[in-house]
Amino acid sequence: QVFRSHSIACRALHNLAWAPANKIPMSENGVLVEALSRMLVQRTYLRMNRPHGTSSILLQTRRHAAGTLRNLAQAPRRNKIRLMKYGCGSFFDTLVDAARNDPDNHVRDKALATIHNLACVDTAEIMIAQPELLSLLKDTIHFVTLQNADKATTTTEQDDTRLEDAQGTLTVLERSITEDMSCYPTLRDLLKELEPFSKDEEDNADKNVDDSEDSQYSSTATP
């Protein structure tokens, strides 16, 4: 019953996070963000006498948690920074873990979309210092681009969305990190590795790099 209650509550939060008026107060609630972060990565129930249907309930909870966080990340820059710094960076590590390792495609996709929504000029320097994130972006771009090039393989709309989110995040980093910054060599090496897979996807980037705070809202929030 506890897991079912968590799932129902998380679904309600997902719906609330879609409304623009709720994004800022919800993203500034540290207890809420921490709870969503925990539910995002709860993939198993360790007790032997696991109730029937627990796995499917946990899956729905993770999906709702990922969707809620994706919507909360569609917020002004100051809130993006706040989210990035929760738990001294452990919250962002949780997002990357979910985007890479969750067994469910929907959870992985929503976690990557959350990362994309968090990308802006003020978070770029934090992101470029995350090796696991850079590895995730590289692997996503490599995998989907190679699939697109293989005539025997049919890519899905879901694959295309993942590619757009990965390339969009990378484009924000490229636009935000300049040659005079100490982290620029990391970006330069990343771009060099991806050069064979690069394509003109400028329009896929979140418009978060604009100086106007109101323009820092991404477009991937859904109910």
Side-chain angles (χ1 to χ4, degrees):
Q1 292 298 325
V2 172
F3 291 121
R4 190 175 299 278
S5 297
H6 286 174
S7 183
I8 294 171
C10 207
R11 180 177 181 178
L13 291 170
H14 188 185
N15 290 334
L16 287 170
W18 178 72
N22 294 334
K23 296 179 189 296
I24 293 176
M26 289 178 71
S27 66
E28 292 179 349
N29 187 321
V31 175
L32 173 61
V33 173
E34 183 180 354
L36 290 168
S37 181
R38 287 199 307 268
M39 288 187 283
L40 178 63
V41 291
Q42 187 168 12
R43 299 166 191 157
T44 59
Y45 181 63
L46 299 179
R47 294 185 182 179
M48 295 298 294
N49 58 339
R50 178 175 61 185
H52 179 71
T54 299
S55 294
S56 62
I57 293 173
L58 290 177
L59 172 58
Q60 291 303 317
T61 302
R62 296 201 312 277
R63 287 181 175 181
H64 291 316
T68 303
L69 291 170
R70 176 190 58 188
N71 290 351
L72 293 185
Q74 186 208 15
R77 281 160 46 181
R78 66 178 184 275
N79 293 85
K80 295 176 190 286
I81 298 170
R82 182 189 293 269
L83 287 169
M84 287 286 297
K85 293 183 176 180
Y86 268 127
C88 297
S90 63
F91 166 74
F92 190 72
D93 292 340
T94 298
L95 278 179
V96 175
D97 175 66
R100 175 178 285 280
N101 298 318
D102 197 279
D104 181 69
N105 287 337
H106 294 286
V107 175
R108 293 199 304 271
D109 292 346
K110 290 177 182 178
L112 182 57
T114 304
I115 293 170
H116 180 204
N117 282 353
L118 288 173
C120 69
V121 66
D122 293 318
T123 61
E125 196 168 0
I126 302 174
M127 286 190 171
I128 198 67
Q130 307 294 324
E132 289 299 319
L133 170 63
L134 304 188
S135 178
L136 170 66
L137 296 179
K138 285 189 294 185
D139 291 347
T140 300
I141 293 172
H142 285 174
F143 177 74
V144 182
T145 303
L146 288 174
Q147 274 196 321
N148 286 336
D150 185 357
K151 294 182 180 180
T153 303
T154 302
T155 57
T156 65
E157 183 177 347
Q158 199 171 28
D159 291 327
D160 292 339
T161 299
R162 284 182 62 80
L163 181 62
E164 289 176 4
D165 285 335
Q167 289 180 323
T169 303
L170 182 63
T171 301
V172 172
L173 298 182
E174 187 175 5
R175 289 176 175 176
S176 304
I177 296 172
T178 58
E179 293 185 14
D180 61 322
M181 299 172 68
S182 61
C183 58
Y184 180 77
T186 303
L187 174 65
R188 181 190 59 209
D189 293 343
L190 175 62
L191 294 175
K192 187 174 181 179
E193 283 189 62
L194 290 172
E195 189 173 349
F197 302 90
S198 64
K199 47 191 283 191
D200 188 11
E201 293 288 348
E202 294 284 328
D203 293 336
N204 290 333
D206 189 335
K207 297 179 181 179
N208 294 354
V209 293
D210 190 276
D211 288 335
S212 170
E213 182 163 295
D214 289 341
S215 70
Q216 300 312 307
Y217 290 78
S218 180
S219 57
T220 56
T222 59

